[in-house]
Amino acid sequence: MAGSKSGPGIERVAILGLGLIGGSLGLALRKRGVKEVAGYDRHPETIETALTLGAINRPAADPATAVQGAQVVILAVPVGALGSLAGSIVPFLDPEAIVTDTGSVKGAVVRDLEAIFRDRARYVGGHPMAGSERAGIAAADGYLLENAVYVLTPTPATDTRALKSLEGLFQSLGSRVITLDPDEHDLIVAGVSHLPHFLAVSLVQAAGELAREHPLALMLAAGGFRDTTRIAGGDPVMWRDIFLYNREAILALLKSWRCQIDALEEMIRAGDATGLETVLNEARALRARVPARQKGLLPALHELVVTVPDRPGVIGAMATSLGDAGINIIDIEILRVREGEGGSIRLGFTTAAAATRALEILQNSGINVRLLENA
Amino acid sequence: MAGSKSGPGIERVAILGLGLIGGSLGLALRKRGVKEVAGYDRHPETIETALTLGAINRPAADPATAVQGAQVVILAVPVGALGSLAGSIVPFLDPEAIVTDTGSVKGAVVRDLEAIFRDRARYVGGHPMAGSERAGIAAADGYLLENAVYVLTPTPATDTRALKSLEGLFQSLGSRVITLDPDEHDLIVAGVSHLPHFLAVSLVQAAGELAREHPLALMLAAGGFRDTTRIAGGDPVMWRDIFLYNREAILALLKSWRCQIDALEEMIRAGDATGLETVLNEARALRARVPARQKGLLPALHELVVTVPDRPGVIGAMATSLGDAGINIIDIEILRVREGEGGSIRLGFTTAAAATRALEILQNSGINVRLLENA
């Protein structure tokens, strides 16, 4: 994978909408050696930025110009804007062009876009499952799609060769491509993405309500609260559209989720210690089965925790001594740090052997280090 | 702070319960130079581990032995076990001893323990607001309480000098000590900690339900789902007790939170785009006011993102060149990585000047680096 520079014969791509996803796709495609990445965005300054960052190399003043000659056209605008954008480019597409979108909702979108592109281009719905709480071209990252799941949603009407081309293209960017029925996709993301977002928003609101009478509430909102509500920092327009376009699946899931809530609340009200413990144990076991963020499709990490003095150069010295031994640190996180004194750092390695070697090397340098139990 | 080795005249501390919090307190106290940290746990092997790790230096076979001669006694067991443990040590306490607990619920606990210790010791309720999804002595960390909020919950019955002593002791460990009425504490943590936990558990259950029919659901659970449900990995027994002991506050908050949920669901059902966008904007603004994890009480970080090739030694070389220039990396995170090729790394610095210097140095080394916009 790492060596295939040209991709599967695709040399001209157009991206319409240069936000986080569009910009990141552009950076990745250019990095993979795609010759021409044309780009359009409704904000001219975004086109400028995309050009400067190297996410596109042919700026276009309008969608029609952008798609001219493109073998693949990627529509990377909010779900609510897809229909009118699609309509506006139809007359300008090469009849062999493959069109895909990156919308987070697929059922309604795929039905709309299939109707628009029928006999005019070869359309396949798509959803790259990568994101960030930061939006916009400034947050674009050529590595965003690496190891991310990229869902394509073919239907009986889909052109099989177009599907294969897109699979190859996104695989060449390092994504793990899977195919799903559009409606099944919507139900699944409603459960693992839209419902969590819905709850995060409601939780932030409840905390805000509380903070009106108890101003310390926001200050005491500890790590758990921040983690649980991180996604509530997402782009409001994008999420408004998701909630509206995936309404049916979200409402269905809310209904079944309310049963869980009602049961839990009843256990608390009734003081049912055994019931609560059972549920909490189940939830912990179930969550342990969710793959880790971004790297979910790579093997589990083998981790060390080191306690080091906090002064310039310490991380460098440590990382250099591991680098000298040919050991690659695949993940690093400063867990806690006290300025002027020291802190704990977690280091991740891809193999148990690398972690064990690193443990020895660091111990021999007199560094306080231990293997993480769950590694 | 960093220089005061002896703490405020306290030389003998006993810790009962050597889990994550008890163990971390022990490590921090020993590091601060407290002469004797006696420790008891109902699992003898945990006492052994605590001794080996240096979290205690006087192991005790039972609570009575542990508390003998202690100036400060810290009860660090699950909330449901506090009452009987407290009762068992009363006859063995020095009458001047200060007793505190680390329970996550305070109203009911403080009422119980004040009654037990009245005229027998000087009790002050406490709650160190630090945690980890890892539990037990193996996860103990001498830096866990650094920069964490440590809540003490005095009442009209509290001995003022005992309160001052504990404030000084926990401040000497680097915690930010604040005082709160026990019931106000419970209401606030119900909102910012217990309700989030409740929702995380319900969310994991809903995803589990979904995964029974759609096995891909867990695989597609992206970063957002993992973040939102991280706390559902917490210790089931501890959380069972929290739900039961803080029942009233949790039920009250559930009630007001259900109003938020009902309103949001109604907006989705009615297709109210304007209403949804308003709520999503509000939630995003509100969440931005929550201080960042662990470091919430430190100044904001100034951050860079570098894109580097992924090979042994790269992090080391980079960190060393910054260290050579006297620039201290206060935070580091590998954002995305593709094995064999490269990735993005976020570096945090305490001052804008340090970040700017680092930017120059890295750029001069030909490294692809940019300042984070929100820094």
Side-chain angles (χ1 to χ4, degrees):
Chain A
M1 272 197 300
S4 75
K5 291 301 280 182
S6 61
I10 290 178
E11 301 194 324
R12 291 182 311 283
V13 176
I15 302 175
L16 307 185
L18 298 166
L20 173 69
I21 295 291
S24 298
L25 275 166
L27 286 169
L29 288 165
R30 289 289 297 145
K31 198 151 53 73
R32 284 278 135 209
V34 171
K35 254 189 213 157
E36 178 184 292
V37 178
Y40 165 77
D41 193 279
R42 67 196 173 98
H43 301 292
E45 64 277 17
T46 300
I47 304 180
E48 278 306 307
T49 309
L51 188 64
T52 311
L53 292 176
I56 61 174
N57 61 351
R58 179 165 75 81
D62 53 68
T65 316
V67 304
Q68 264 162 25
Q71 297 162 285
V72 170
V73 174
I74 301 172
L75 311 179
V77 296
V79 165
L82 280 168
S84 65
L85 179 65
S88 77
I89 59 170
V90 161
F92 309 99
L93 289 169
D94 184 299
E96 278 298 294
I98 301 169
V99 181
T100 187
D101 72 293
T102 62
S104 314
V105 179
K106 294 268 68 80
V109 164
V110 170
R111 277 185 287 277
D112 280 4
L113 298 192
E114 276 191 344
I116 291 172
F117 292 116
R118 179 158 301 150
D119 304 326
R120 311 298 291 266
R122 300 181 291 161
Y123 167 75
V124 188
H127 178 204
M129 303 217 26
S132 161
E133 68 272 34
R134 301 202 178 97
I137 184 73
D141 184 326
Y143 294 97
L144 186 71
L145 300 161
E146 298 276 350
N147 302 316
V149 173
Y150 204 119
V151 181
L152 291 173
T153 56
T155 69
T158 300
D159 179 299
T160 315
R161 281 178 311 133
L163 175 64
K164 286 274 168 260
S165 288
L166 285 183
E167 279 181 351
L169 184 66
F170 296 132
Q171 275 163 2
S172 80
L173 304 184
S175 293
R176 163 90 171 247
V177 179
I178 66 170
T179 57
L180 267 180
D181 169 78
D183 291 316
E184 185 175 18
H185 165 276
D186 286 358
L187 192 62
I188 290 177
V189 294
V192 302
S193 171
H194 306 168
L195 184 59
H197 199 93
F198 181 96
L199 293 187
V201 168
S202 74
L203 205 48
V204 169
Q205 285 189 301
E209 190 88 0
L210 187 65
R212 263 190 279 282
E213 286 191 32
H214 305 277
L216 276 173
L218 289 186
M219 175 182 165
L220 292 193
F225 184 83
R226 261 189 83 82
D227 280 357
T228 311
T229 61
R230 181 182 69 88
I231 48 180
D235 180 20
V237 171
M238 186 183 95
W239 280 99
R240 176 201 68 192
D241 285 358
I242 288 174
F243 285 154
L244 295 177
Y245 278 79
N246 205 20
R247 171 162 52 185
E248 297 311 322
I250 293 174
L251 291 176
L253 270 160
L254 272 171
K255 200 172 162 192
S256 86
W257 164 80
R258 275 179 188 271
C259 300
Q260 312 278 4
I261 286 290
D262 292 346
L264 265 174
E265 180 168 353
E266 189 45 40
M267 283 180 196
I268 293 179
R269 198 181 305 277
D272 177 2
T274 315
L276 279 171
E277 197 178 335
T278 305
V279 166
L280 289 164
N281 270 312
E282 276 172 14
R284 178 152 82 158
L286 203 56
R287 184 176 178 284
R289 289 171 47 205
V290 178
R293 178 171 11 162
Q294 306 291 347
K295 293 153 198 134
L297 302 160
L298 287 177
L301 282 181
H302 300 269
E303 297 174 310
L304 301 179
V305 169
V306 295
T307 308
V308 294
D310 175 37
R311 56 165 193 265
V314 164
I315 294 174
M318 194 170 68
T320 300
S321 67
L322 296 180
D324 288 349
I327 298 169
N328 202 4
I329 302 171
I330 194 96
D331 199 8
I332 184 167
E333 181 190 13
I334 296 190
L335 298 174
R336 270 170 288 280
V337 70
R338 177 190 178 79
E339 214 179 337
E341 196 190 327
S344 304
I345 297 175
R346 183 178 59 74
L347 299 175
F349 306 89
T350 43
T351 66
T356 310
R357 273 283 283 138
L359 183 76
E360 284 169 16
I361 290 172
L362 295 173
Q363 274 173 341
N364 290 342
S365 323
I367 288 172
N368 183 350
V369 57
R370 62 189 164 84
L371 209 58
L372 266 190
E373 278 210 329
N374 61 346
Chain B
M1 270 197 300
S4 75
K5 292 301 281 182
S6 61
I10 290 179
E11 301 194 324
R12 293 184 308 284
V13 176
I15 303 174
L16 308 184
L18 299 166
L20 173 70
I21 295 290
S24 298
L25 275 165
L27 286 169
L29 289 165
R30 288 289 298 145
K31 198 152 52 75
R32 285 278 135 210
V34 170
K35 254 189 212 156
E36 180 184 292
V37 178
Y40 165 78
D41 193 278
R42 68 195 172 95
H43 301 292
E45 65 278 17
T46 300
I47 304 180
E48 278 306 307
T49 309
L51 189 62
T52 310
L53 293 175
I56 61 173
N57 61 351
R58 179 165 75 81
D62 54 67
T65 316
V67 304
Q68 265 162 26
Q71 296 162 284
V72 170
V73 174
I74 301 172
L75 311 179
V77 297
V79 165
L82 281 168
S84 65
L85 179 65
S88 77
I89 58 170
V90 161
F92 308 100
L93 290 168
D94 183 300
E96 278 298 294
I98 300 170
V99 181
T100 188
D101 72 295
T102 63
S104 313
V105 179
K106 293 269 68 82
V109 164
V110 170
R111 279 185 286 278
D112 280 5
L113 297 192
E114 276 191 343
I116 291 172
F117 291 117
R118 177 160 301 150
D119 305 325
R120 311 298 290 267
R122 300 181 293 162
Y123 167 75
V124 188
H127 177 203
M129 303 218 24
S132 162
E133 67 274 33
R134 301 203 177 96
I137 185 73
D141 184 327
Y143 295 96
L144 187 71
L145 300 161
E146 298 276 350
N147 303 316
V149 173
Y150 204 119
V151 181
L152 292 173
T153 56
T155 69
T158 301
D159 178 301
T160 316
R161 282 177 310 134
L163 175 64
K164 287 274 168 259
S165 289
L166 285 182
E167 279 181 351
L169 184 66
F170 296 132
Q171 274 163 2
S172 80
L173 304 184
S175 293
R176 163 90 171 249
V177 180
I178 66 170
T179 58
L180 267 180
D181 168 79
D183 291 316
E184 186 176 17
H185 165 275
D186 286 358
L187 193 62
I188 290 177
V189 294
V192 301
S193 171
H194 306 170
L195 184 59
H197 198 95
F198 181 95
L199 293 187
V201 168
S202 73
L203 206 48
V204 170
Q205 286 188 299
E209 190 85 49
L210 186 65
R212 263 190 279 279
E213 286 191 33
H214 305 277
L216 276 173
L218 290 186
M219 176 183 164
L220 293 193
F225 184 84
R226 263 189 80 83
D227 281 358
T228 311
T229 60
R230 183 183 66 90
I231 48 180
D235 180 21
V237 171
M238 187 183 95
W239 281 99
R240 177 201 68 193
D241 285 358
I242 287 173
F243 286 153
L244 295 177
Y245 279 78
N246 205 20
R247 171 160 54 183
E248 298 310 321
I250 292 173
L251 291 176
L253 270 160
L254 272 172
K255 200 173 163 192
S256 84
W257 165 81
R258 275 180 187 270
C259 299
Q260 313 277 4
I261 286 289
D262 292 345
L264 264 174
E265 181 168 352
E266 189 44 42
M267 283 180 196
I268 293 178
R269 198 181 305 276
D272 177 2
T274 315
L276 279 171
E277 197 178 334
T278 305
V279 166
L280 290 164
N281 271 310
E282 276 173 14
R284 178 153 80 161
L286 204 58
R287 186 178 177 282
R289 290 168 49 204
V290 177
R293 177 170 13 159
Q294 304 293 345
K295 293 152 198 135
L297 302 160
L298 287 177
L301 281 181
H302 300 270
E303 297 175 311
L304 301 180
V305 169
V306 295
T307 308
V308 294
D310 175 38
R311 55 162 193 265
V314 165
I315 294 173
M318 195 171 67
T320 300
S321 67
L322 297 180
D324 288 349
I327 299 168
N328 203 2
I329 302 170
I330 195 93
D331 199 7
I332 185 168
E333 180 189 12
I334 296 188
L335 299 175
R336 271 170 289 280
V337 73
R338 177 189 177 79
E339 212 177 340
E341 195 191 326
S344 304
I345 297 175
R346 184 177 59 75
L347 300 175
F349 305 89
T350 44
T351 66
T356 311
R357 272 283 283 139
L359 183 76
E360 285 169 15
I361 291 171
L362 295 173
Q363 273 174 341
N364 290 342
S365 321
I367 288 173
N368 183 351
V369 55
R370 62 188 165 85
L371 210 56
L372 264 190
E373 279 210 328
N374 62 345

